[in-house]
Amino acid sequence: MGGQQMDTIETMTRIDSGAFDEAFGYLYSEKAQEQRARYKNAALQFETLFGAGREIRLFSAPGRTEVGGNHTDHQHGRVLAAGVNLDVIAVASKNDDRIIRIKSEGFPMDVVDLSDLSARDDEPNTAAALIRGVAARLAAMGHPVAGFDAYTTSNVLKGSGLSSSAAFETIVGTMLGSLYADGAVDAIQIAQIGQYAENVYFGKPSGLMDQMACSVGGFITIDFADPEKPVVEKVDFDFARSGYKLCIVDTGGNHADLTDDYASAAVEMCSVARALGKEVLRDIAPETFYGRVASLRGKCTDRALLRAFHFYGDNARVPRQVAALRAGDFETFKALVIESGRSSFMYLQNVYTCKNPDEQGLSLALAMSEHLLAGRGAWRVHGGGFAGTIQSFVPDDLLEAYRERMESVFGAGSCHVLSIRPVGGVEITPKLGA
C-alpha cells in the first residue's frame, strides 16, 4: 500500500521526534539507535540532489546471510537463509519524466530512460542494468512502471557474502512496486524479478536464493524444485535467545574478476546433470548419481563430480537443519553447519580461487575459527565463496575473545555481529512493526 506523503523537511522532523523509532527497532534491533542520523542524512542528500519540497518515501532492503545450502539454489535445491540488519536504504520521489534517476552513495548517478527497456550491450555489470532489468520485467508482467528519483546508501558491504546486488535489486523492485503498483507485487515476485535483471541484464548467472532472502526476510527455508513457484517457509526460531551470536568475518578478499569462478559451480553441476539426461541435479535421484560415478568419470571433470557430491549432501542437510531449529536442538544445527562448511571446502571447492592460490583469507579464517570455537561453536564459508567472508555461530561468553582474535588478523571492524530482521524489502512508515 502507498506510504504517507511527507516532504523532506517533515520527514526529518518526524525522524527527530522519534516517530520512526518503533519501526527502526523492529528492523534493526541493536543497530536501531544509528538509524535516526542515517535516514535524516539520506533525506538531506536527496534534497540536495533533487530539490527541496519534494514528497518523499523511505525504503529498505536487507542483506542476507545464507545459513544452509551452499550453491544449491541454481540446481533447484533447498536453502536456509535469513535477512540481516545491514541494509540498503532509499529516499524516493515520483517524477513525471519517465526516467529513473538513482544516486547511490559513492557512485555516479544512474539514469534509465523507461522509453527503452531492452537490454543494452554497454550496460552489463552496472547498476543501470539492474534498474532497467527490474523495470522491464515489471512492465512485461503488466505492472505500471514510471519514473522516480532516489538516493540510496548501503552498509551491506560489497563482496561480503551478504549480497549487496540482490539488496539493490530488491529495493528497486520494492520502490517501483510501492510507488506505482500500490504494493501489488509480492516479495517472491520481486525476488524473481531481481534474479531476471541480474541474469539477463547484468550478466551474472546467479540463482534465486540471494534475492529471495533479501526480499522476503526473516529466517526462511526455500525449496526451488519448481523455480517458477518456489516453496518458501518461515522458520520459527529466535536466535536472540539461543545463547549464540551470528558473526560474519570479512577477510578482505577481492571479489573482482570472480564471476567465472561463481559461474563454474553451476556450469559444472549442470554438466553432470546433462550427462544423466537432465538439466539440473535436483531432477536426478541421489542414488542414481552415486551409482553412475564410474561411468560419469571421463564424461565430466573430476571437480564437476565432486561438486555434485556437495550438492546432494548439502541439499539433504537443509531440511535436517530446519528440523533441528524448529525442535530447538541447536547442538545438531551447529554440527550440520560444520558439515556443510567442510563439504564446501572439500567438494564444492569455493573457499579460494584457483587463479590466486596464494591468497586464502577464507581458509585462514576457517582454521582460526575451528581453533577458537572447537566444541563450542560452528563455522563455514559464507555466500558464494572464493573470497570475502565466513560465517560463525559464537557462544555469548566467547564473543569478545573471538572478535578480538579475528580482528587482530583481518583488521578492526572485520567481525560483524548481526541480528536477523523480520521482514525483507519494505517501505518504512512510522506504523511499521506496530
Side-chain angles (χ1 to χ4, degrees):
M1 297 298 293
Q4 184 174 358
Q5 298 295 312
M6 296 181 286
D7 65 21
T8 51
I9 299 299
E10 184 182 0
T11 299
M12 288 187 279
T13 299
R14 296 201 70 191
I15 290 171
D16 261 338
S17 73
F20 287 86
D21 283 359
E22 187 170 356
F24 292 156
Y26 177 67
L27 289 182
Y28 297 103
S29 190
E30 73 277 357
K31 297 183 183 294
Q33 290 186 339
E34 309 165 17
Q35 304 309 318
R36 280 195 190 185
R38 186 174 177 229
Y39 277 83
K40 276 182 61 184
N41 182 66
L44 184 61
Q45 293 296 325
F46 176 92
E47 186 178 78
T48 301
L49 287 163
F50 300 113
R54 298 276 296 271
E55 290 186 339
I56 61 170
R57 289 157 69 173
L58 307 178
F59 298 89
S60 164
R64 68 96 178 104
T65 182
E66 170 206 284
V67 182
N70 196 216
H71 280 274
T72 53
D73 57 332
H74 50 67
Q75 297 301 300
H76 301 183
R78 305 181 185 98
V79 298
L80 175 63
V84 299
N85 60 342
L86 297 176
D87 64 344
V88 55
I89 67 172
V91 179
S93 179
K94 294 180 180 181
N95 66 42
D96 298 323
D97 303 335
R98 286 200 57 78
I99 292 174
I100 295 176
R101 302 179 187 89
I102 299 180
K103 174 66 170 74
S104 297
E105 182 182 18
F107 296 91
M109 180 90 72
D110 289 299
V111 180
V112 172
D113 189 333
L114 297 175
S115 65
D116 178 12
L117 291 179
S118 58
R120 292 174 48 165
D121 292 340
D122 60 341
E123 280 189 347
N125 298 302
T126 67
L130 297 176
I131 298 165
R132 194 182 305 276
V134 168
R137 191 62 174 164
L138 277 165
M141 293 168 65
H143 295 291
V145 170
F148 66 88
D149 300 320
Y151 173 81
T152 79
T153 180
S154 175
N155 57 18
V156 183
L157 302 176
K158 290 195 71 176
S160 67
L162 297 171
S163 201
S164 56
S165 61
F168 183 77
E169 295 153 18
T170 295
I171 205 164
V172 173
T174 301
M175 286 190 286
L176 279 167
S178 295
L179 291 170
Y180 290 110
D182 199 27
V185 191
D186 66 34
I188 290 176
Q189 290 174 319
I190 287 174
Q192 293 168 327
I193 290 163
Q195 185 202 21
Y196 172 85
E198 188 157 322
N199 290 174
V200 178
Y201 282 68
F202 188 82
K204 182 178 179 181
S206 70
L208 186 55
M209 188 271 285
D210 292 351
Q211 291 82 0
M212 196 68 76
C214 292
S215 187
V216 175
F219 282 105
I220 56 172
T221 183
I222 313 166
D223 190 331
F224 292 111
D226 180 354
E228 296 300 315
K229 296 180 181 178
V231 178
V232 183
E233 297 179 15
K234 292 280 188 178
V235 179
D236 185 17
F237 183 83
D238 185 0
F239 264 112
R241 299 186 181 185
S242 68
Y244 289 78
K245 293 293 187 291
L246 168 62
C247 293
I248 302 297
V249 181
D250 186 351
T251 67
N254 187 354
H255 271 224
D257 300 322
L258 293 180
T259 297
D260 290 346
D261 288 290
Y262 297 127
S264 70
V267 168
E268 291 178 14
M269 289 185 196
C270 287
S271 74
V272 177
R274 283 194 296 272
L276 293 171
K278 300 290 184 180
E279 291 300 314
V280 293
L281 291 174
R282 183 64 182 277
D283 292 338
I284 299 160
E287 57 271 19
T288 299
F289 164 72
Y290 295 134
R292 298 277 298 276
V293 172
S295 64
L296 288 168
R297 197 172 187 212
K299 297 177 182 176
C300 307
T301 67
D302 288 346
R303 189 172 70 171
L305 295 175
L306 288 168
R307 285 174 160 173
F309 269 94
H310 166 78
F311 168 79
Y312 286 113
D314 236 27
N315 194 53
R317 264 184 288 272
V318 168
R320 294 167 62 201
Q321 288 178 304
V322 170
L325 289 176
R326 286 176 169 161
D329 184 357
F330 204 70
E331 291 303 309
T332 295
F333 170 77
K334 287 189 301 177
L336 292 167
V337 169
I338 294 171
E339 279 185 24
S340 175
R342 293 198 186 284
S343 178
S344 293
F345 206 149
M346 291 189 297
Y347 305 140
L348 180 59
Q349 298 180 27
N350 69 331
V351 173
Y352 63 91
T353 174
C354 295
K355 299 172 186 174
N356 186 15
D358 290 342
E359 181 183 314
Q360 293 200 39
L362 292 183
S363 309
L364 181 59
L366 291 168
M368 287 189 62
S369 296
E370 182 168 11
H371 173 68
L372 295 168
L373 301 176
R376 297 287 311 279
W379 53 91
R380 71 195 281 271
V381 64
H382 182 242
F386 300 106
T389 60
I390 69 159
Q391 173 190 80
S392 55
F393 295 92
V394 182
D396 288 342
D397 63 305
L398 293 181
L399 180 63
E400 289 310 314
Y402 178 80
R403 177 156 52 184
E404 181 181 347
R405 290 289 297 277
M406 298 306 280
E407 292 192 351
S408 73
V409 175
F410 299 106
S414 59
C415 183
H416 301 276
V417 182
L418 304 182
S419 65
I420 306 304
R421 67 185 244 172
V423 292
V426 68
E427 179 170 358
I428 299 185
T429 69
K431 294 182 180 180
L432 181 67

